[in-house]
Amino acid sequence: MAYSVLPISGVDLNGITTKSFEYTNGTTAIGIPSFGPLGAETFGSDGKRYVFAKAGGVIAAGATDVSINASTFAATSGGGSYVAPAESMVSGDFGWFGATSV
């Protein structure tokens, strides 16, 4: 299990980040994570660089082909080089996605 080696607290690099609250804007449900902002980065004890992102669809636990949009920080399965957290995710879940940093 990786952990952050930078002075950043409250991050779980291995699981889904919980939502602190949700609200509805018109017909759109908005979830606010207990950590933020999207796009935050840290380095893990496993030598990977981790990016905080929001799942844009279903992502299998530990998927190794995740891509992250550099503008919206939406993570999607397929075609990328990021590794998903150890828990499966559904659209709207927040979590840390790791990539080799060297």
Side-chain angles (χ1 to χ4, degrees), residues 37-91:
L38 292 177
E41 296 180 322
T42 191
F43 286 92
S45 59
D46 58 358
K48 293 181 181 173
R49 175 180 51 90
Y50 286 83
V51 177
F52 188 64
K54 182 177 181 178
V58 174
I59 301 174
T64 59
D65 62 346
V66 177
S67 62
I68 299 177
N69 181 298
S71 299
T72 63
F73 301 105
T76 54
S77 190
S81 59
Y82 286 90
V83 177
E87 295 181 43
S88 59
M89 303 176 84
V90 296
S91 184

